[in-house]
């Protein structure tokens, strides 16, 4: 089912295609609705789809006439290029956020999407309650504090001592 946001996204994508291609046909409401339906099923954000238009035309051969699937494919490629371009520290933070959210009971696909959007500097599509956000921030701070501690190698005696401590607590 498409929503008003999908229709608005399709209209913006079609307008951007027309701006890139002076011979692009100006479709009516039915074209906008058809493209909106494809975009709604893609799971991509408006930002990804608009980046897809740019990418599609940048790599397109002469005479390129995009269909919505071509924009979805190019939007997906643009999204993954942006993720690959993240610096290592943002990547690590994204992975930590993903694991924390899953530990908090957020489903893996939603946790992945949320952490990726935050890492890319976008507003996340899911909202966390104030309590969840507080818990998330606390868990993230704890993980960062642990990561900042210098690691110390454990010799065989240290491993035995650690195992004994765990067994004593059990």
């Amino acid at each position: 089912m498409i929503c008003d946001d999908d229709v608005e996204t399709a209209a913006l994508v079609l307008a951007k295609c027309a701006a890139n291609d002076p011979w692009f046909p100006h479709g009516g409401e039915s074209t906008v609705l058809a493209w909106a339906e494809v975009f709604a099923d893609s799971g991509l954000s408006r930002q990804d789809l608009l980046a897809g238009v740019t990418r599609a035309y940048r790599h397109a051969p002469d005479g390129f006439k995009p269909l919505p699937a071509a924009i979805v494919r190019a939007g997906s490629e643009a999204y993954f290029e942006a993720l690959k371009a993240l610096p290592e520290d943002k990547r690590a933070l994204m992975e930590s956020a993903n694991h924390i959210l899953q530990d908090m009971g957020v489903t893996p696909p939603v946790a992945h999407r949320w952490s990726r959007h935050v890492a890319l500097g976008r507003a996340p599509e899911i909202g966390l309650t104030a309590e969840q956000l507080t818990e998330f921030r606390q868990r993230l701070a704890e993980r960062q504090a642990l990561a900042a501690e210098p690691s110390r190698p454990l010799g065989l005696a240290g491993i035995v001592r650690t195992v004994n401590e765990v067994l004593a607590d059990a």
Side-chain angles (χ1 to χ4, degrees), residues 11-35:
L12 289 170
V13 166
L14 286 163
K16 190 167 182 177
C17 287
N20 279 284
D21 181 356
W23 296 276
F24 190 79
H26 296 284
E29 185 179 342
S30 60
T31 302
V32 172
L33 291 173
W35 283 50

Side-chain angles (χ1 to χ4, degrees), residues 90-116 118-119 136 139-140 143:
K90 278 202 173 192
R91 240 183 222 302
L93 190 59
M94 179 180 71
E95 286 301 314
S96 290
N98 175 36
H99 292 292
I100 291 168
L101 288 169
Q102 288 185 46
D103 288 345
M104 291 172 55
V106 176
T107 62
V110 174
H112 281 286
R113 189 174 306 117
W114 192 92
S115 61
R116 287 176 174 179
V118 171
F136 173 79
R139 287 182 180 212
L140 185 60
R143 273 186 183 243

Side-chain angles (χ1 to χ4, degrees), residues 50-135:
L50 290 172
V53 173
T54 302
R55 189 177 199 295
Y57 277 99
R58 183 175 52 230
H59 298 289
D62 290 343
F64 173 66
K65 295 296 176 200
L67 292 173
I71 301 303
V72 168
R73 190 171 32 261
S76 251
E77 292 166 355
Y79 173 73
F80 286 111
E81 281 178 357
L83 285 173
K84 286 179 187 176
L86 286 173
E88 193 57 41
D89 61 330
K90 278 202 173 192
R91 240 183 222 302
L93 190 59
M94 179 180 71
E95 286 301 314
S96 290
N98 175 36
H99 292 292
I100 291 168
L101 288 169
Q102 288 185 46
D103 288 345
M104 291 172 55
V106 176
T107 62
V110 174
H112 281 286
R113 189 174 306 117
W114 192 92
S115 61
R116 287 176 174 179
H117 278 220
V118 171
L120 291 171
R122 303 175 184 175
E125 293 175 351
I126 64 160
L128 298 177
T129 65
E131 295 83 24
Q132 287 174 318
L133 198 52
T134 300
E135 180 182 353

Side-chain angles (χ1 to χ4, degrees), residues 163-170:
V163 170
N164 287 337
E165 289 171 359
V166 170
L167 292 175
D169 290 340

